[in-house]
């Protein structure tokens, strides 16, 4: 889809479709009112006759409205004006785009970007509109022999801003929205890919492709190199797999100075059977999504590189399968991690922390300003926060605050959970420095506490995206979260948004 920005009045648009909002109950927004005036009360007549109430999610498509230059007008219900916030705005844009895709209109001019939302400026509205529009039309049909094609898909969307002096800002926001959407789509594609294709080697190839597209530094460490470094925790997970593990490292240098990099670490378990602590059969296919942390950090890198942000960013992806087998790790095995700390593997299904701990130790060598790891780490996090918020942990409260705010702004929320010492107790092992599980309760927190033992040398945050990285059921598929949160955070850090 193509996007552009303009300012102008709705009745003068030569467009296949002009999209304006209607609040509940039957209250025209300003652009709708302008159309109504030009059309001698045509719209208000319709509303009075009861054709539209303005309820959220409703739409009404009109053709050849007198006094206007457009072919169609799409009225989009916005719900109650008093309750119109971020989420309602995003839903209205999604409804509009989904509806436009079903009409015959190839192009449309969207006035929803003029709507006032508390605490949000024109840049936010444009950025989010672009993101939502692309997200709504996303399909993953690489493996369908007959693709469901939209007969006359929406090709061009023009976003209208109220004042000409907003145009420059809106153009910047448009580019940001496009880059975030591209990163999200990249992460969604990787996540949705079947696990027989998306294995560690495939992830490494994807990283190499990113490296050549954007001229990034790229290193792929093989099993031998990892053994050399003492990454026995990571390698213990890979033991059962026939697919070779990879440690993927990418460097983006957007800041000419020798500024310390932000390091993102993404869990790349391309399939998690649980290993010898085998998972139950039901829904096990969804464990192909256990590399969504990797997909998220790679997608973030892609967006950052597309925007050429003036920061240094390093991405580390420990990638492996977690499979059972005669050579697989056993419950009771003790391994020495790269940090020197010993770990008793009490459950081979708690594998994410085992691969992450060595990747986090490896991150030290890049002298990071901050390290953020992203992982589909625990079912317990889904129990705690459901599918709404990612779990957020941080070594410093202001880092947690920055990430939480970035999530709120990006409509990709995370919620801060504690890392108190009281929980560390639960990781005690009678035989090693720690066990790899903390027992039944507070599982998202004990997993984060485990990771915290490997992140003492830098500021660190951890996002548990087990509940947010993909959807199950009828809408099954990867979401691309937390790419929006992370890109927002990095945009903020580079001073591109306040
Ligand atoms: N990848 C899973 C976490 C997961 C489970 C994410 C279900 C989304 C949905 C992780 O490797 C895992 O298996 N964690 C275990 C940890 C337990 C053994 C301490 C879990 O959450 O059950
Ligand atoms: Mn597991
Ligand atoms: Zn896992």
């Amino acid at each position: 889809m193509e996007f552009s920005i303009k300012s102008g009045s709705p009745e003068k648009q030569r467009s296949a479709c002009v999209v304006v909002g209607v609040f509940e109950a039957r209250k025209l927004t300003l652009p709708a009112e302008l159309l109504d005036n030009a059309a001698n009360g045509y719209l208000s007549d319709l509303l009075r006759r009861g054709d539209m109430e303005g309820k959220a999610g409703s739409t009404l498509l009109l053709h050849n409205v007198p006094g206007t230059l457009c072919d169609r007008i799409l009225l989009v219900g916005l719900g109650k004006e008093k309750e119109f916030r971020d989420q309602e705005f995003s839903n209205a844009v999604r409804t509009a785009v989904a509806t436009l895709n079903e009409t015959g209109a190839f192009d449309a001019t969207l006035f929803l970007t003029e709507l006032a939302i508390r605490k949000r400026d024109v840049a936010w509205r444009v950025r989010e509109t672009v993101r939502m529009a692309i997200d709504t039309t996303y399909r993953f049909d690489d493996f369908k022999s007959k693709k469901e094609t939209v007969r006359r898909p929406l090709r061009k969307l023009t976003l209208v801003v109220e004042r000409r002096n907003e145009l420059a800002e809106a153009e910047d926001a448009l580019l940001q929205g496009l880059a975030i959407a591209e990163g999200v789509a990249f992460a969604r594609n990787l996540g949705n890919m079947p696990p027989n294709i998306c294995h560690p080697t495939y992830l490494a190839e994807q990283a190499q492709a990113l490296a050549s597209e954007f001229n990034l530094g790229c290193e792929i460490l093989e099993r031998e190199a990892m053994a050399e470094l003492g990454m026995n925790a990571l390698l213990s997970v890979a033991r059962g797999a026939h697919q070779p593990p990879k440690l993927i490292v990418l460097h983006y240098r957007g800041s000419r100075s020798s500024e310390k990099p932000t390091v993102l670490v993404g869990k790349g378990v391309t399939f998690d059977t649980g290993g010898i602590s085998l998972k139950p059969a039901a829904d096990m296919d969804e464990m192909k999504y256990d590399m969504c942390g990797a997909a998220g950090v790679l997608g973030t890198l892609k967006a950052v590189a597309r925007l050429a942000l003036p920061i240094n960013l390093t991405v580390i992806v420990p990638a492996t399968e977690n499979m059972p087998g005669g050579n697989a790790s056993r419950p009771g095995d003790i391994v020495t991690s790269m940090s020197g700390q010993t770990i008793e593997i009490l459950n081979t299904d708690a594998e994410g922390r085992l691969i992450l701990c060595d990747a986090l130790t490896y991150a030290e060598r890049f002298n990071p300003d901050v390290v953020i790891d992203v992982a589909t780490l625990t079912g317990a996090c889904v129990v705690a926060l459901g599918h709404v918020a990612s779990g957020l942990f941080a070594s410093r409260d202001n880092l947690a605050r920055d990430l939480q705010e970035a999530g709120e702004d990006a409509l990709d929320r995370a919620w801060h959970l504690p890392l108190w010492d009281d929980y560390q107790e639960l990781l005690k092992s009678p035989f090693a420095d720690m066990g790899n599980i903390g027992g039944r309760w507070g599982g998202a927190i004990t997993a984060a506490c485990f990771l915290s033992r490997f992140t003492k040398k830098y500021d660190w945050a951890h996002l548990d995206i087990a509940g947010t990285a993909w959807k199950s059921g009828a809408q099954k598929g990867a979401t691309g979260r937390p790419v929006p949160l992370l890109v927002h955070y990095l945009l903020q850090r580079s001073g591109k948004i306040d």
Side-chain angles (χ1 to χ4, degrees), residues 267 272 274 279 287 290 322 347 349-353 376-380 382 436-439 443 464 466-467 470:
K267 173 179 174 182
D272 182 11
K279 286 184 181 295
M287 283 299 116
D290 215 17
N322 184 23
N347 188 319
D349 197 12
E351 85 296 342
R353 61 199 80 181
T376 48
L377 201 63
T378 65
V382 193
N436 77 327
I437 54 172
D464 192 333
W470 76 91

Side-chain angles (χ1 to χ4, degrees), residues 206-218:
Q206 293 294 308
Q208 277 160 333
L210 277 182
S212 33
E213 183 178 357
F214 294 103
N215 202 12
L216 313 171
C218 178

